[in-house]
Amino acid sequence: MTRDLPATLAALAAALPPGVLTPGPDVPARHRQDWSDIDPIEPAALLRPRSTAEVAEALAACNRLGLPVVPQGGLTGLAGGAHPTPGAVVLSLERMQGIEVLDEVGSTMTVLAGTPLAVVQAAAEAVGLHYPVDLGARGSCTIGGNLSTNAGGVRVIRYGMTRENVLGVEFVLADGTVLDLLNTMIKNNAGYDLKHLVIGAEGTLGIVTRAVLRLQPKPASVATALCAVADFAAVTDLLKHLRRRLGPGLTVFEGMWPCYFDFMADRLGTVRRPFAARHGAYVLVEASGFADEAVAQRLEAALAERIDAGAVEDVVIAASERDVRDLWAIREGVSEYGRLLGKIVGYDLGVPIAAMGTLVEAIHRDVEARWPDAHVLCYGHVGDSNLHVVVHIPSAGGHQPHDALDAVVYPLATRFGGTVSAEHGIGILKRAYLPLARSPAAIAVMHRIKGALDPAGILNPGKVLPPAERG
Amino acid sequence: MTRDLPATLAALAAALPPGVLTPGPDVPARHRQDWSDIDPIEPAALLRPRSTAEVAEALAACNRLGLPVVPQGGLTGLAGGAHPTPGAVVLSLERMQGIEVLDEVGSTMTVLAGTPLAVVQAAAEAVGLHYPVDLGARGSCTIGGNLSTNAGGVRVIRYGMTRENVLGVEFVLADGTVLDLLNTMIKNNAGYDLKHLVIGAEGTLGIVTRAVLRLQPKPASVATALCAVADFAAVTDLLKHLRRRLGPGLTVFEGMWPCYFDFMADRLGTVRRPFAARHGAYVLVEASGFADEAVAQRLEAALAERIDAGAVEDVVIAASERDVRDLWAIREGVSEYGRLLGKIVGYDLGVPIAAMGTLVEAIHRDVEARWPDAHVLCYGHVGDSNLHVVVHIPSAGGHQPHDALDAVVYPLATRFGGTVSAEHGIGILKRAYLPLARSPAAIAVMHRIKGALDPAGILNPGKVLPPAERG
């Protein structure tokens, strides 16, 4: 930047159509932070373009002025990817909402990036189709944010991450170039598939303005069961059996360790305890079926077989919508951490499924050795090799030892062949730990890609990539 | 290149371990061409590394010497991606074969790039799992080639392209840098997902040496039916209904127009005509089911419903393995083009499903207007928006007018929102047509990526990307 910030902002305002730029002091408070629990920052300004052309104008001007830009979607990220950085403007897609095309024959939907996930889900349902990416923040998170973080959720075991549910994308490069890759076809092997650059790049390579989503047939019936087993070996045994019995009918396989399940069952208050006894591990299972498929009977038969074999200790099968809500209640207790625990430190680890049980034991052992009063709660999308861990140390109160905990947990995860982010992304919070999950050669290539697409480095600086090695 | 070719090759031979380099005149004939029907070329030399380290040594040496390298897998590509280019060495992965890890709990398989697809399929089957990418060349094509071309095939409607079935990859950059991205987890959002750079890049960005494949549960039963309908509108109606009735149980949906079906039924000789009457379009359908799923009854019920509604004119359902082979025989007649037609010109178009019928009519009209004796055969993976067209002009004999036909067919496909390659790739043959399917801005970004990863331009030069615009 060659000029001071006020002069640069004045030049930016002059370059943009009226109404796009809001000066820093007038920026609504919600743009000062995301869900990452990092301290709020007042952005230098808020840009709210109304069209792809305005996004392009804004980025071209910022690029020319050397002014960094932080893209913002629904602001529900947990890693700080959309958190303002000092001296940067934030660019929100909130004015670019709406479903533009819904093609029932092609099973595709073209949407503007600022559209909330829940709106997309409802529009698909309305025509008997299904957009299967689903996560707790569905009412606030946006399609642009989902793409930029390659969002996961509870049905990845069947439908994959956001990346697998996107056919096309329109995005704007740092210099204002618009890339229209709004492909609606399942197959399109015409040169490099550039949409994969921007999906999961957390706004560091381009700003997503539109997406073509792939829709699925909507299941006609869903069956839900909660299973109690002796240990983690029995969890993987159950996964293997249900996969073979149900194939793609297995749409949810959520594991809960006793540290999580018993804590929630005891503390949530509103939840009936589903089992009389305590068990070594718990699994929430959902099977989805289509016409004439008798999915509930098939799930029951598959589970009965495992009970007879002694591999499952107890099962509760939902017989009503009310039962389904009850069975999900403990798993969905994650939204109550604040009330139940106060400040927490959360982890979104990936680890090969076979190593997951050992990793949980090691985290308990090492964290509790150092902080004997620690609560360590473990649960996750077992079928997707994704383990969530939440730690709260009562004696630390409002100042949980993030860095000291990170230094224990991340090296354990990667020692077992795991990764520091399965679905939440790297953002600010995990940038320093990326080298645990990716080799120096891989990070050097990421920098080469960043340099090729955003040579001035204006897009979401300080996110995802650790500083480049001096060569 | 600063030296003449013999001196450069001598320097390369000196830089490599013994036995890696075979001089041009000694190169076996099969390395002089792929299945693209381009005239054979003797490579400057053949490199056959035995390990990733030797691939890295070879590329580092070629990069230093400015010597271009054409990677070769099973040599079954139809677009010329693995065809030798004058003055280049070819690098074959044929010595790097074998399955290294098969993880039943994680449902993953780690394989060397030179392993044939059929070997991978058989190894998965042997433990009750399923690697679902399947194509006619399965016995010869290799996993490295499948990744590099993002291979498709007949079950993409259910399982996606190769890209969707790969969790991790190891590849070598032009300068010899090895990128170990052998991820085995479903979720791993740690920085840019660099595997997507090399998948589908046809060997222009790196050479794949290993892959981690995602395995699926193996279906317990499969039902096959051939349907006759009045026209293409009835084909899309059937697709919509079967998707809603069968969900992911619908694993094949192959359309055949009368120009293809009747030609094959009449000429193949070995095939019983499945229907007494002629119809407006034909669809080969496969449904796959798991334990207790009664998939045959479900498919029958779904088809009976469409017959009752008058939307399907006739159906043959396979009652035996023999029947299944018979129902596939006409679709698999594509391997007999040489015998039935002699020289052909083949197209691998993608087009939004809703436009496919109109595109077929337009291609017939425009090709037959110019070449009245033309055979134009149309069939394709309708559920994947992928249309194959084969043209033979008897009066042209051994000199089919490739370029003149391309000039008719490709603009038609893209006028309807389609693409010039759905699954075969761009290679040499479609390079000039890439600008019909991708914008100048997108092609410029492809060049930026190419420049960032292969600045000397040694990897598969002359493939995929049209020459860069002078800026």
Side-chain angles (χ1 to χ4, degrees):
Chain A
M1 228 178 316
T2 53
R3 289 177 288 178
D4 62 1
L5 189 56
T8 305
L9 289 171
L12 177 61
L16 295 178
V20 171
L21 186 146
T22 304
D26 302 336
V27 173
R30 63 190 200 83
H31 292 282
R32 296 183 193 164
Q33 59 191 327
D34 61 11
W35 288 6
S36 62
D37 204 23
I38 304 172
D39 290 338
I41 292 179
E42 182 185 295
L46 165 66
L47 307 183
R48 290 185 298 160
R50 287 157 293 215
S51 64
T52 299
E54 287 190 352
V55 174
E57 280 184 77
L59 288 185
C62 291
N63 196 49
R64 207 166 51 234
L65 295 163
L67 186 61
V69 181
V70 177
Q72 292 190 335
L75 289 159
T76 62
L78 296 168
H83 201 81
T85 30
V89 300
V90 298
L91 187 152
S92 168
L93 279 294
E94 67 193 45
R95 287 176 171 168
M96 293 179 60
Q97 296 191 30
I99 291 158
E100 298 188 312
V101 183
L102 205 173
D103 172 358
E104 288 187 59
V105 169
S107 292
T108 67
M109 189 193 288
T110 306
V111 301
L112 287 163
T115 312
L117 172 59
V119 171
V120 164
Q121 291 172 332
E125 299 274 321
V127 296
L129 292 168
H130 183 47
Y131 181 65
V133 175
D134 192 29
L135 46 151
R138 65 184 74 80
S140 305
C141 68
T142 65
I143 291 299
N146 289 174
L147 264 72
S148 296
T149 58
N150 188 26
V154 294
R155 285 183 184 83
V156 171
I157 188 172
R158 160 67 184 98
Y159 296 104
M161 307 285 279
T162 295
R163 190 186 297 278
E164 280 82 55
N165 293 282
V166 173
L167 294 175
V169 64
E170 177 190 77
F171 66 101
V172 185
L173 295 178
D175 65 5
T177 302
V178 177
L179 286 182
D180 172 355
L181 307 165
L182 291 170
N183 169 65
T184 62
M185 295 170 279
I186 305 294
K187 294 178 170 174
N188 189 354
N189 276 346
Y192 308 158
D193 195 346
L194 300 177
K195 69 173 174 282
H196 294 294
L197 286 171
V198 81
I199 297 172
E202 302 186 39
T204 62
L205 296 180
I207 296 186
V208 175
T209 46
R210 279 187 174 83
V212 181
L213 306 175
R214 183 178 183 179
L215 305 178
Q216 299 286 340
K218 181 169 145 56
S221 57
V222 168
T224 308
L226 187 64
C227 308
V229 299
D231 53 24
F232 187 73
V235 173
T236 59
D237 170 84
L238 183 61
L239 174 63
K240 195 169 139 181
H241 277 272
L242 290 181
R243 269 199 180 128
R244 292 188 183 211
R245 290 294 292 259
L246 302 173
L250 180 64
T251 44
V252 167
F253 190 91
E254 295 285 302
M256 291 167 274
W257 276 257
C259 55
Y260 175 88
F261 189 89
D262 292 334
F263 178 90
M264 285 292 172
D266 292 345
R267 300 278 187 101
L268 276 176
T270 52
V271 181
R272 284 178 295 170
R273 253 199 173 274
F275 303 109
R278 298 199 172 215
H279 299 270
Y282 304 86
V283 184
L284 181 67
V285 170
E286 178 191 273
S288 300
F290 290 79
D292 318 322
E293 206 184 318
V295 68
Q297 293 92 310
R298 290 176 57 219
L299 177 61
E300 261 176 72
L303 291 174
E305 190 190 79
R306 299 317 295 153
I307 290 180
D308 291 348
V312 169
E313 296 179 342
D314 205 351
V315 166
V316 181
I317 295 182
S320 66
E321 278 300 312
R322 165 83 200 277
D323 283 355
V324 172
R325 279 197 304 276
D326 280 0
L327 293 188
W328 274 93
I330 291 181
R331 175 61 183 80
E332 292 196 333
V334 298
S335 60
E336 303 290 328
Y337 286 139
R339 180 170 69 80
L340 301 176
L341 287 169
K343 291 277 183 189
I344 58 158
V345 185
Y347 296 94
D348 162 46
L349 308 173
V351 72
I353 300 171
M356 204 177 267
T358 319
L359 175 60
V360 166
E361 288 169 18
I363 291 174
H364 271 286
R365 187 190 59 226
D366 289 4
V367 170
E368 288 160 8
R370 177 142 170 207
W371 296 276
D373 67 333
H375 290 290
V376 179
L377 315 185
C378 300
Y379 60 101
H381 316 294
V382 171
D384 313 328
S385 52
N386 184 184
L387 176 70
H388 291 301
V389 179
V390 157
V391 182
H392 171 72
I393 296 161
S395 56
H399 299 282
Q400 297 289 311
H402 286 83
D403 293 345
L405 277 165
D406 289 356
V408 172
V409 172
Y410 286 130
L412 279 179
T414 55
R415 187 197 305 162
F416 290 102
T419 182
V420 299
S421 173
E423 59 178 4
H424 295 170
I426 296 297
I428 296 173
L429 294 180
K430 295 174 215 165
R431 197 165 81 107
Y433 302 104
L434 191 65
L436 289 174
R438 300 294 188 192
S439 68
I443 292 173
V445 171
M446 293 181 201
H447 279 290
R448 284 203 232 173
I449 299 296
K450 172 74 173 172
L453 295 192
D454 177 18
I458 65 156
L459 276 176
N460 223 2
K463 312 291 174 70
V464 184
L465 299 183
E469 303 273 327
R470 297 284 153 210
Chain B
M1 224 179 316
T2 53
R3 288 176 291 177
D4 62 0
L5 189 57
T8 305
L9 290 171
L12 177 62
L16 295 179
V20 170
L21 186 147
T22 304
D26 302 336
V27 173
R30 65 190 200 81
H31 291 283
R32 297 182 192 164
Q33 59 192 325
D34 62 10
W35 287 6
S36 61
D37 203 23
I38 304 172
D39 290 339
I41 292 179
E42 183 185 294
L46 166 66
L47 307 183
R48 288 184 302 160
R50 286 157 293 215
S51 65
T52 299
E54 287 190 354
V55 174
E57 280 183 79
L59 287 185
C62 290
N63 196 50
R64 206 165 51 237
L65 295 163
L67 185 63
V69 181
V70 177
Q72 292 189 335
L75 289 159
T76 62
L78 296 168
H83 201 82
T85 30
V89 300
V90 299
L91 187 152
S92 168
L93 280 295
E94 67 191 47
R95 286 176 172 169
M96 291 179 62
Q97 295 192 31
I99 291 158
E100 299 188 312
V101 183
L102 204 172
D103 172 357
E104 287 186 61
V105 169
S107 293
T108 67
M109 189 193 289
T110 306
V111 301
L112 288 164
T115 312
L117 172 58
V119 171
V120 164
Q121 292 172 332
E125 299 274 321
V127 295
L129 292 168
H130 182 46
Y131 180 65
V133 175
D134 192 28
L135 47 152
R138 65 185 73 80
S140 306
C141 68
T142 65
I143 291 299
N146 289 174
L147 264 73
S148 296
T149 57
N150 188 25
V154 294
R155 286 184 184 81
V156 170
I157 189 172
R158 160 67 183 99
Y159 296 103
M161 306 285 282
T162 295
R163 190 186 298 278
E164 280 82 55
N165 293 283
V166 174
L167 295 175
V169 65
E170 176 190 78
F171 66 100
V172 185
L173 295 177
D175 65 4
T177 302
V178 176
L179 287 182
D180 172 354
L181 306 165
L182 291 171
N183 169 66
T184 62
M185 295 171 279
I186 304 295
K187 293 178 171 175
N188 190 353
N189 276 347
Y192 308 157
D193 195 346
L194 300 177
K195 69 171 174 282
H196 294 294
L197 286 172
V198 79
I199 297 172
E202 303 186 39
T204 63
L205 296 180
I207 295 186
V208 175
T209 46
R210 279 188 174 82
V212 181
L213 306 175
R214 182 177 184 181
L215 305 179
Q216 299 287 339
K218 181 170 147 52
S221 56
V222 169
T224 308
L226 187 64
C227 308
V229 299
D231 53 24
F232 187 72
V235 172
T236 59
D237 170 85
L238 183 62
L239 174 62
K240 196 170 139 181
H241 278 272
L242 290 180
R243 269 198 181 129
R244 291 187 185 212
R245 292 292 294 256
L246 302 173
L250 180 64
T251 42
V252 166
F253 190 91
E254 296 284 303
M256 292 168 273
W257 277 257
C259 56
Y260 175 88
F261 188 91
D262 292 333
F263 178 89
M264 285 293 173
D266 292 344
R267 300 279 187 101
L268 276 175
T270 52
V271 180
R272 283 179 296 170
R273 254 200 173 273
F275 303 110
R278 298 198 171 214
H279 300 269
Y282 304 87
V283 184
L284 181 68
V285 169
E286 179 191 272
S288 300
F290 290 80
D292 318 321
E293 205 184 317
V295 68
Q297 293 92 309
R298 290 176 59 219
L299 177 60
E300 261 177 71
L303 292 174
E305 191 189 78
R306 299 318 295 155
I307 290 181
D308 291 348
V312 168
E313 296 180 342
D314 204 350
V315 166
V316 181
I317 295 181
S320 66
E321 279 299 313
R322 165 81 201 278
D323 283 355
V324 172
R325 278 198 303 277
D326 280 0
L327 293 188
W328 275 94
I330 291 180
R331 175 61 182 80
E332 293 196 332
V334 297
S335 61
E336 302 291 328
Y337 286 140
R339 181 170 67 80
L340 300 177
L341 287 169
K343 292 276 183 189
I344 58 159
V345 184
Y347 295 94
D348 163 47
L349 308 173
V351 73
I353 300 171
M356 204 177 267
T358 318
L359 175 61
V360 166
E361 287 168 19
I363 290 173
H364 270 286
R365 187 190 60 227
D366 289 4
V367 170
E368 288 159 9
R370 177 143 170 205
W371 295 278
D373 65 333
H375 289 290
V376 178
L377 314 184
C378 299
Y379 61 101
H381 317 295
V382 171
D384 313 329
S385 52
N386 185 186
L387 176 70
H388 291 301
V389 179
V390 157
V391 182
H392 170 72
I393 296 161
S395 56
H399 300 281
Q400 297 289 310
H402 285 84
D403 294 345
L405 277 164
D406 289 356
V408 172
V409 172
Y410 286 129
L412 279 177
T414 55
R415 188 196 305 164
F416 290 101
T419 182
V420 299
S421 172
E423 59 178 4
H424 295 170
I426 297 297
I428 296 172
L429 293 181
K430 296 174 215 165
R431 198 165 82 106
Y433 302 104
L434 190 66
L436 289 173
R438 301 293 189 194
S439 68
I443 292 173
V445 170
M446 293 181 201
H447 278 290
R448 284 203 234 174
I449 300 297
K450 171 73 174 174
L453 295 192
D454 178 17
I458 66 155
L459 277 175
N460 223 2
K463 313 290 174 72
V464 184
L465 299 182
E469 304 271 327
R470 296 283 153 211

